[in-house]
Amino acid sequence: MNTVFDVLAETIRVLIGDDHRIVREGLKQILADAPDVQVVAEAQTGDEVLATVRALGGLDGLDLVLLDIAMPGLDGLDVLQTIKREHPLLPVLMLSTYPEKQYAVRCIRLGACGYLNKSADPDDMLYAVRKAAGGGVFLTQATAEALAAAVGNATAQAGPETLSHREHQVYRLLTQGQTVSEIGAQLGLAPNTVSTYRARVLEKTGTKNDVELALYAERHRAKP
């Protein structure tokens, strides 16, 4: 368990972006126990996160964005990309219920300063917040191993990490049982466009239909 951290000169101002109120309240409670951390804003959709970051002037009003991956409308990865484009120096720490091996590498590559599972110990959560806000990168052992594997196994059998950002969005929603029309409505894409991405996903994963794709996703979730 991480218990040592660098003392920051000023309070760490945090924006929490998560679509579940109970999660936001839980995070606020954890952060409230730290005298050097203050939650200055919260948002429940990707669009609200971006609007709040812009309203606060990026680093002028924030030191860290604590961001969920699965959000309605713009998902966390879309929001992460936009924040890093508009405010490249603003740290973004990603939160998820998904295991590190499924999303951590993708998040780090898109500019996140760390990836934390929502089931993390509160002390680890605070350590991650402090390290990220201080300009560091927070890596759990599982995330470090996933990054090492991604670098060292470029020629290994293709996994979900080989998909493009948009392909991965479609992949994730397909494996959740959503239809092409439902995915199109959620991502703001025409059904024909979603079908094209679906075809690319099937080709890259070596699967023939949505059932095989779901089994493929389960195998990759279960990888040690």
Side-chain angles (χ1 to χ4, degrees):
M1 181 183 300
N2 299 310
T3 57
V4 180
F5 60 90
D6 295 328
V7 177
L8 301 179
E10 298 180 356
T11 299
I12 300 170
R13 302 160 299 175
V14 177
L15 161 63
I16 297 175
D18 194 290
D19 60 326
H20 294 100
R21 181 177 178 182
I22 191 170
V23 173
R24 297 197 305 274
E25 292 300 325
L27 291 172
K28 285 193 293 184
Q29 183 60 52
I30 291 172
L31 299 180
D33 292 335
D36 58 328
V37 181
Q38 179 185 8
V39 177
V40 297
E42 58 184 282
Q44 61 182 355
T45 70
D47 290 317
E48 287 182 5
V49 171
L50 292 177
T52 304
V53 169
R54 291 162 180 159
L56 292 173
L59 279 172
D60 289 338
L62 288 170
D63 299 296
L64 178 71
V65 177
L66 202 53
L67 182 62
D68 186 21
I69 286 182
M71 301 184 73
L74 291 175
D75 71 12
L77 298 180
D78 281 327
V79 175
L80 169 63
Q81 288 183 295
T82 301
I83 290 176
K84 299 311 292 184
R85 184 171 62 250
E86 296 181 358
H87 304 280
L89 299 181
L90 178 60
V92 181
L93 181 62
M94 302 302 291
L95 281 174
S96 179
T97 57
Y98 302 110
E100 283 94 333
K101 293 176 183 178
Q102 197 169 353
Y103 276 99
V105 173
R106 186 174 298 275
C107 289
I108 298 299
R109 284 175 172 169
L110 290 176
C113 57
Y115 183 96
L116 196 63
N117 196 283
K118 291 182 181 179
S119 63
D121 184 278
D123 286 343
D124 289 335
M125 176 81 68
L126 289 171
Y127 177 85
V129 166
R130 288 165 174 145
K131 186 166 186 178
V137 176
F138 174 78
L139 298 177
T140 64
Q141 182 176 348
T143 298
E145 290 173 354
L147 284 168
V151 172
N153 297 326
T155 60
Q157 183 178 3
E161 65 276 2
T162 65
L163 302 174
S164 71
H165 174 53
R166 185 65 82 183
E167 288 167 353
H168 196 272
Q169 287 180 312
V170 173
Y171 162 81
R172 176 170 59 83
L173 296 173
L174 284 170
T175 58
Q176 291 175 0
Q178 294 195 31
T179 66
V180 167
S181 295
E182 290 170 338
I183 294 171
Q186 181 164 334
L187 299 181
L189 299 173
N192 287 344
T193 302
V194 175
S195 294
T196 298
Y197 281 117
R198 175 181 175 276
R200 292 178 186 171
V201 169
L202 294 178
E203 180 180 359
K204 288 187 176 182
T205 57
T207 56
K208 298 178 181 178
N209 52 51
D210 292 350
V211 174
E212 288 190 9
L213 187 65
L215 293 173
Y216 170 92
E218 187 60 36
R219 287 197 304 273
H220 279 271
R221 277 193 291 269
K223 277 189 174 182

